[in-house]
Amino acid sequence: MRVAIVSDTMSAYGGAERVIEQMMQVFPQSDLFTVLDAVPKGERSFLENRTITSSFLQKLPYVDRYYRKLLHLWSLAIEQFDLTDYDVVISSHHSVANGVITRPFQCHVSYVHSPMRYAWDLQHEYLRESNLVRGPLSWYARRVLHQARLWDFAAAQRPDALAANSHFVAERIRKFYGRPATVLHPPVDLQAFPLNRERRGGYYVTASRLVPYKRVSLIAQAFARMPDRRLKIIGAGPDLAQVRSIATPNIEVLGWQPAEALVDLVSNAEGFIFGGVEDFGISLVEAQAAGTPVIAYAEGGALETVNDLGTSMPTGLLFEEQSPDAICAAIDLFEEQRGAFQPAFCRQNAERFAQQVFRDRFRGFVQQAYEERRGRAARSGDLGFGRPRIVSSGAAI
């Protein structure tokens, strides 16, 4: 099969890029298309010197500095790719990628990291964070988001098959797009987080981008009330100054850390704490791979990746409310039941999300979609399935 992989903007070696890396392992001869390639030089090894086709946005001067402000052009950009020569098109979607235009005889499958968050369930949070709650600019932004929802719904009808990175996202796909989705949990590099059976640090840790929906400030507020317990906060972002203003002497705000330091800090922690709602939550699985139990808010991907206290092989503890009080209570219970959370349990649970597991399941998902599309084409008499048909005039249609 001739395969094209289509991505939203790529700006770092993050979760979506790690999924694309594994897709390219499954289809090593595939070609890669992206709205914009802004991955730094030091993070490009996963691309393996592959030629990348970018949209017209790539030609704008210094676009890597302001491309997020061109969001209204992303949907136009994604629709300009000419993918005529491919049998299978795979879109890696969290913004506009599944809106790529394919021809009737082509098979298009979309791996959905999330429906367009800022246009759907996070619209009001996005408006608050952008100070666009009231006034003329607010109504303009609401109009833009309204148009984005209309386009996103229409674009979501274009793929032949949808995959979601969690049951949580699959339910959002059903609600927003009105379509079913196969759940394929994303790949986690377990080898990067070797099992550590000894917790030597005497501290708790959290690691994420410091943005409001991650709720790191809640974790800091909780530990400010527990001066006898230590917390290390890893990450950078817009909330860094706020988190530092909350920090008390028992809280260490480390900022961004290189991979080696991150692994060491996570693997030696008493527990990994997360207070936000993730579509999946790779960091929670990475912590368990290292044998570190997780204390997380009971919503989103955490419900699928953490075995709560009371199960036969618990790997963490889930709390029901996003508040400092709930986090403090969860830490108290966690320490009372510390012996229940065995490093081996954590590692065994994490292995469900290994890279090879993803590759095997994803290969089967694409092959099934391709065969089903091929069957529909045969039933409709489209003998040119997989390539342009040549008609008597010599024109390709």
PDB file of all heavy atoms in Angstrom, residues 211-233:
ATOM      1  N   VAL A 211       0.139  24.656  32.612  1.00  0.00           N
ATOM      2  CA  VAL A 211      -0.994  25.391  32.051  1.00  0.00           C
ATOM      3  C   VAL A 211      -2.201  25.154  32.948  1.00  0.00           C
ATOM      4  O   VAL A 211      -2.228  24.168  33.705  1.00  0.00           O
ATOM      5  CB  VAL A 211      -1.293  24.938  30.607  1.00  0.00           C
ATOM      6  CG1 VAL A 211      -0.168  25.345  29.671  1.00  0.00           C
ATOM      7  CG2 VAL A 211      -1.504  23.431  30.544  1.00  0.00           C
ATOM      8  N   PRO A 212      -3.207  26.026  32.896  1.00  0.00           N
ATOM      9  CA  PRO A 212      -4.291  25.944  33.882  1.00  0.00           C
ATOM     10  C   PRO A 212      -4.979  24.593  33.983  1.00  0.00           C
ATOM     11  O   PRO A 212      -5.253  24.115  35.098  1.00  0.00           O
ATOM     12  CB  PRO A 212      -5.254  27.042  33.418  1.00  0.00           C
ATOM     13  CG  PRO A 212      -4.378  28.059  32.773  1.00  0.00           C
ATOM     14  CD  PRO A 212      -3.307  27.264  32.075  1.00  0.00           C
ATOM     15  N   TYR A 213      -5.281  23.924  32.851  1.00  0.00           N
ATOM     16  CA  TYR A 213      -6.088  22.712  32.950  1.00  0.00           C
ATOM     17  C   TYR A 213      -5.331  21.534  33.570  1.00  0.00           C
ATOM     18  O   TYR A 213      -5.942  20.535  33.952  1.00  0.00           O
ATOM     19  CB  TYR A 213      -6.672  22.336  31.581  1.00  0.00           C
ATOM     20  CG  TYR A 213      -5.750  21.599  30.642  1.00  0.00           C
ATOM     21  CD1 TYR A 213      -5.712  20.209  30.616  1.00  0.00           C
ATOM     22  CD2 TYR A 213      -4.926  22.288  29.748  1.00  0.00           C
ATOM     23  CE1 TYR A 213      -4.895  19.524  29.734  1.00  0.00           C
ATOM     24  CE2 TYR A 213      -4.115  21.618  28.867  1.00  0.00           C
ATOM     25  CZ  TYR A 213      -4.098  20.237  28.858  1.00  0.00           C
ATOM     26  OH  TYR A 213      -3.276  19.564  27.989  1.00  0.00           O
ATOM     27  N   LYS A 214      -4.017  21.647  33.710  1.00  0.00           N
ATOM     28  CA  LYS A 214      -3.247  20.596  34.377  1.00  0.00           C
ATOM     29  C   LYS A 214      -3.413  20.650  35.897  1.00  0.00           C
ATOM     30  O   LYS A 214      -3.074  19.688  36.592  1.00  0.00           O
ATOM     31  CB  LYS A 214      -1.766  20.723  34.027  1.00  0.00           C
ATOM     32  CG  LYS A 214      -1.454  20.608  32.541  1.00  0.00           C
ATOM     33  CD  LYS A 214      -1.525  19.197  32.036  1.00  0.00           C
ATOM     34  CE  LYS A 214      -0.990  19.100  30.611  1.00  0.00           C
ATOM     35  NZ  LYS A 214      -1.009  17.717  30.078  1.00  0.00           N
ATOM     36  N   ARG A 215      -3.865  21.788  36.429  1.00  0.00           N
ATOM     37  CA  ARG A 215      -4.191  21.953  37.854  1.00  0.00           C
ATOM     38  C   ARG A 215      -2.978  21.739  38.774  1.00  0.00           C
ATOM     39  O   ARG A 215      -3.119  21.256  39.906  1.00  0.00           O
ATOM     40  CB  ARG A 215      -5.321  21.004  38.259  1.00  0.00           C
ATOM     41  CG  ARG A 215      -6.622  21.215  37.508  1.00  0.00           C
ATOM     42  CD  ARG A 215      -7.261  22.542  37.866  1.00  0.00           C
ATOM     43  NE  ARG A 215      -8.609  22.653  37.367  1.00  0.00           N
ATOM     44  CZ  ARG A 215      -8.958  23.226  36.211  1.00  0.00           C
ATOM     45  NH1 ARG A 215      -8.009  23.760  35.443  1.00  0.00           N
ATOM     46  NH2 ARG A 215     -10.214  23.287  35.825  1.00  0.00           N
ATOM     47  N   VAL A 216      -1.793  22.107  38.312  1.00  0.00           N
ATOM     48  CA  VAL A 216      -0.605  21.959  39.149  1.00  0.00           C
ATOM     49  C   VAL A 216      -0.682  22.887  40.362  1.00  0.00           C
ATOM     50  O   VAL A 216      -0.195  22.553  41.448  1.00  0.00           O
ATOM     51  CB  VAL A 216       0.669  22.230  38.325  1.00  0.00           C
ATOM     52  CG1 VAL A 216       1.919  22.166  39.205  1.00  0.00           C
ATOM     53  CG2 VAL A 216       0.780  21.216  37.187  1.00  0.00           C
ATOM     54  N   SER A 217      -1.315  24.043  40.196  1.00  0.00           N
ATOM     55  CA  SER A 217      -1.443  24.967  41.324  1.00  0.00           C
ATOM     56  C   SER A 217      -2.236  24.342  42.470  1.00  0.00           C
ATOM     57  O   SER A 217      -1.955  24.613  43.644  1.00  0.00           O
ATOM     58  CB  SER A 217      -2.112  26.259  40.873  1.00  0.00           C
ATOM     59  OG  SER A 217      -3.410  26.015  40.356  1.00  0.00           O
ATOM     60  N   LEU A 218      -3.216  23.499  42.167  1.00  0.00           N
ATOM     61  CA  LEU A 218      -3.966  22.806  43.220  1.00  0.00           C
ATOM     62  C   LEU A 218      -3.067  21.874  44.019  1.00  0.00           C
ATOM     63  O   LEU A 218      -3.177  21.776  45.247  1.00  0.00           O
ATOM     64  CB  LEU A 218      -5.120  22.003  42.612  1.00  0.00           C
ATOM     65  CG  LEU A 218      -6.318  22.764  42.059  1.00  0.00           C
ATOM     66  CD1 LEU A 218      -7.353  21.788  41.525  1.00  0.00           C
ATOM     67  CD2 LEU A 218      -6.930  23.647  43.133  1.00  0.00           C
ATOM     68  N   ILE A 219      -2.175  21.182  43.297  1.00  0.00           N
ATOM     69  CA  ILE A 219      -1.246  20.276  43.976  1.00  0.00           C
ATOM     70  C   ILE A 219      -0.321  21.074  44.879  1.00  0.00           C
ATOM     71  O   ILE A 219      -0.058  20.685  46.036  1.00  0.00           O
ATOM     72  CB  ILE A 219      -0.445  19.467  42.939  1.00  0.00           C
ATOM     73  CG1 ILE A 219      -1.397  18.632  42.063  1.00  0.00           C
ATOM     74  CG2 ILE A 219       0.574  18.568  43.632  1.00  0.00           C
ATOM     75  CD1 ILE A 219      -0.714  17.935  40.905  1.00  0.00           C
ATOM     76  N   ALA A 220       0.175  22.215  44.388  1.00  0.00           N
ATOM     77  CA  ALA A 220       1.048  23.060  45.202  1.00  0.00           C
ATOM     78  C   ALA A 220       0.310  23.582  46.432  1.00  0.00           C
ATOM     79  O   ALA A 220       0.868  23.606  47.547  1.00  0.00           O
ATOM     80  CB  ALA A 220       1.577  24.222  44.356  1.00  0.00           C
ATOM     81  N   GLN A 221      -0.936  23.983  46.263  1.00  0.00           N
ATOM     82  CA  GLN A 221      -1.722  24.464  47.396  1.00  0.00           C
ATOM     83  C   GLN A 221      -1.902  23.372  48.445  1.00  0.00           C
ATOM     84  O   GLN A 221      -1.850  23.628  49.650  1.00  0.00           O
ATOM     85  CB  GLN A 221      -3.084  24.960  46.912  1.00  0.00           C
ATOM     86  CG  GLN A 221      -3.030  26.240  46.108  1.00  0.00           C
ATOM     87  CD  GLN A 221      -4.357  26.559  45.444  1.00  0.00           C
ATOM     88  OE1 GLN A 221      -5.417  26.143  45.907  1.00  0.00           O
ATOM     89  NE2 GLN A 221      -4.301  27.297  44.343  1.00  0.00           N
ATOM     90  N   ALA A 222      -2.121  22.145  47.975  1.00  0.00           N
ATOM     91  CA  ALA A 222      -2.293  21.034  48.908  1.00  0.00           C
ATOM     92  C   ALA A 222      -1.030  20.791  49.725  1.00  0.00           C
ATOM     93  O   ALA A 222      -1.080  20.627  50.951  1.00  0.00           O
ATOM     94  CB  ALA A 222      -2.692  19.773  48.143  1.00  0.00           C
ATOM     95  N   PHE A 223       0.120  20.777  49.062  1.00  0.00           N
ATOM     96  CA  PHE A 223       1.366  20.504  49.783  1.00  0.00           C
ATOM     97  C   PHE A 223       1.788  21.677  50.647  1.00  0.00           C
ATOM     98  O   PHE A 223       2.530  21.487  51.624  1.00  0.00           O
ATOM     99  CB  PHE A 223       2.463  20.103  48.797  1.00  0.00           C
ATOM    100  CG  PHE A 223       2.453  18.638  48.469  1.00  0.00           C
ATOM    101  CD1 PHE A 223       1.576  18.138  47.521  1.00  0.00           C
ATOM    102  CD2 PHE A 223       3.299  17.755  49.124  1.00  0.00           C
ATOM    103  CE1 PHE A 223       1.544  16.783  47.221  1.00  0.00           C
ATOM    104  CE2 PHE A 223       3.284  16.397  48.830  1.00  0.00           C
ATOM    105  CZ  PHE A 223       2.395  15.912  47.884  1.00  0.00           C
ATOM    106  N   ALA A 224       1.320  22.871  50.319  1.00  0.00           N
ATOM    107  CA  ALA A 224       1.587  24.015  51.197  1.00  0.00           C
ATOM    108  C   ALA A 224       0.920  23.811  52.558  1.00  0.00           C
ATOM    109  O   ALA A 224       1.357  24.377  53.563  1.00  0.00           O
ATOM    110  CB  ALA A 224       1.098  25.304  50.548  1.00  0.00           C
ATOM    111  N   ARG A 225      -0.120  22.991  52.599  1.00  0.00           N
ATOM    112  CA  ARG A 225      -0.814  22.674  53.849  1.00  0.00           C
ATOM    113  C   ARG A 225      -0.191  21.474  54.562  1.00  0.00           C
ATOM    114  O   ARG A 225      -0.621  21.129  55.660  1.00  0.00           O
ATOM    115  CB  ARG A 225      -2.284  22.370  53.575  1.00  0.00           C
ATOM    116  CG  ARG A 225      -3.040  23.498  52.889  1.00  0.00           C
ATOM    117  CD  ARG A 225      -4.482  23.090  52.662  1.00  0.00           C
ATOM    118  NE  ARG A 225      -5.217  24.098  51.893  1.00  0.00           N
ATOM    119  CZ  ARG A 225      -6.505  24.002  51.584  1.00  0.00           C
ATOM    120  NH1 ARG A 225      -7.196  22.943  51.997  1.00  0.00           N
ATOM    121  NH2 ARG A 225      -7.095  24.939  50.873  1.00  0.00           N
ATOM    122  N   MET A 226       0.769  20.820  53.904  1.00  0.00           N
ATOM    123  CA  MET A 226       1.394  19.627  54.476  1.00  0.00           C
ATOM    124  C   MET A 226       2.904  19.836  54.541  1.00  0.00           C
ATOM    125  O   MET A 226       3.656  19.240  53.774  1.00  0.00           O
ATOM    126  CB  MET A 226       1.058  18.390  53.627  1.00  0.00           C
ATOM    127  CG  MET A 226      -0.432  18.090  53.496  1.00  0.00           C
ATOM    128  SD  MET A 226      -0.789  16.583  52.539  1.00  0.00           S
ATOM    129  CE  MET A 226      -0.307  17.110  50.877  1.00  0.00           C
ATOM    130  N   PRO A 227       3.390  20.684  55.434  1.00  0.00           N
ATOM    131  CA  PRO A 227       4.817  21.046  55.447  1.00  0.00           C
ATOM    132  C   PRO A 227       5.751  19.880  55.736  1.00  0.00           C
ATOM    133  O   PRO A 227       6.952  19.984  55.470  1.00  0.00           O
ATOM    134  CB  PRO A 227       4.893  22.107  56.553  1.00  0.00           C
ATOM    135  CG  PRO A 227       3.693  21.865  57.405  1.00  0.00           C
ATOM    136  CD  PRO A 227       2.626  21.382  56.488  1.00  0.00           C
ATOM    137  N   ASP A 228       5.226  18.782  56.257  1.00  0.00           N
ATOM    138  CA  ASP A 228       6.069  17.626  56.553  1.00  0.00           C
ATOM    139  C   ASP A 228       6.236  16.703  55.345  1.00  0.00           C
ATOM    140  O   ASP A 228       6.940  15.693  55.431  1.00  0.00           O
ATOM    141  CB  ASP A 228       5.482  16.832  57.728  1.00  0.00           C
ATOM    142  CG  ASP A 228       4.051  16.382  57.457  1.00  0.00           C
ATOM    143  OD1 ASP A 228       3.325  17.097  56.736  1.00  0.00           O
ATOM    144  OD2 ASP A 228       3.665  15.313  57.976  1.00  0.00           O
ATOM    145  N   ARG A 229       5.606  17.030  54.207  1.00  0.00           N
ATOM    146  CA  ARG A 229       5.712  16.212  52.996  1.00  0.00           C
ATOM    147  C   ARG A 229       6.310  17.034  51.870  1.00  0.00           C
ATOM    148  O   ARG A 229       5.917  18.174  51.642  1.00  0.00           O
ATOM    149  CB  ARG A 229       4.333  15.680  52.593  1.00  0.00           C
ATOM    150  CG  ARG A 229       3.805  14.630  53.559  1.00  0.00           C
ATOM    151  CD  ARG A 229       2.336  14.409  53.387  1.00  0.00           C
ATOM    152  NE  ARG A 229       1.857  13.322  54.225  1.00  0.00           N
ATOM    153  CZ  ARG A 229       0.605  13.208  54.653  1.00  0.00           C
ATOM    154  NH1 ARG A 229      -0.297  14.127  54.328  1.00  0.00           N
ATOM    155  NH2 ARG A 229       0.238  12.187  55.406  1.00  0.00           N
ATOM    156  N   ARG A 230       7.251  16.440  51.144  1.00  0.00           N
ATOM    157  CA  ARG A 230       7.974  17.150  50.101  1.00  0.00           C
ATOM    158  C   ARG A 230       7.358  16.903  48.728  1.00  0.00           C
ATOM    159  O   ARG A 230       6.875  15.814  48.428  1.00  0.00           O
ATOM    160  CB  ARG A 230       9.436  16.712  50.090  1.00  0.00           C
ATOM    161  CG  ARG A 230      10.199  17.042  51.371  1.00  0.00           C
ATOM    162  CD  ARG A 230      11.525  16.298  51.404  1.00  0.00           C
ATOM    163  NE  ARG A 230      12.334  16.602  50.221  1.00  0.00           N
ATOM    164  CZ  ARG A 230      13.238  15.785  49.704  1.00  0.00           C
ATOM    165  NH1 ARG A 230      13.448  14.587  50.256  1.00  0.00           N
ATOM    166  NH2 ARG A 230      13.946  16.154  48.656  1.00  0.00           N
ATOM    167  N   LEU A 231       7.412  17.937  47.890  1.00  0.00           N
ATOM    168  CA  LEU A 231       6.897  17.865  46.527  1.00  0.00           C
ATOM    169  C   LEU A 231       7.911  18.474  45.571  1.00  0.00           C
ATOM    170  O   LEU A 231       8.461  19.542  45.834  1.00  0.00           O
ATOM    171  CB  LEU A 231       5.571  18.615  46.413  1.00  0.00           C
ATOM    172  CG  LEU A 231       5.010  18.791  44.988  1.00  0.00           C
ATOM    173  CD1 LEU A 231       4.569  17.445  44.411  1.00  0.00           C
ATOM    174  CD2 LEU A 231       3.848  19.787  44.978  1.00  0.00           C
ATOM    175  N   LYS A 232       8.141  17.789  44.454  1.00  0.00           N
ATOM    176  CA  LYS A 232       8.965  18.334  43.368  1.00  0.00           C
ATOM    177  C   LYS A 232       8.071  18.517  42.143  1.00  0.00           C
ATOM    178  O   LYS A 232       7.381  17.581  41.730  1.00  0.00           O
ATOM    179  CB  LYS A 232      10.132  17.400  43.044  1.00  0.00           C
ATOM    180  CG  LYS A 232      11.147  17.272  44.182  1.00  0.00           C
ATOM    181  CD  LYS A 232      12.292  16.343  43.794  1.00  0.00           C
ATOM    182  CE  LYS A 232      13.271  16.130  44.948  1.00  0.00           C
ATOM    183  NZ  LYS A 232      14.052  17.339  45.249  1.00  0.00           N
ATOM    184  N   ILE A 233       8.091  19.721  41.590  1.00  0.00           N
ATOM    185  CA  ILE A 233       7.271  20.057  40.430  1.00  0.00           C
ATOM    186  C   ILE A 233       8.176  20.223  39.216  1.00  0.00           C
ATOM    187  O   ILE A 233       9.086  21.049  39.211  1.00  0.00           O
ATOM    188  CB  ILE A 233       6.476  21.351  40.674  1.00  0.00           C
ATOM    189  CG1 ILE A 233       5.514  21.169  41.856  1.00  0.00           C
ATOM    190  CG2 ILE A 233       5.698  21.754  39.423  1.00  0.00           C
ATOM    191  CD1 ILE A 233       4.776  22.442  42.247  1.00  0.00           C
TER     192      ILE A 233
END
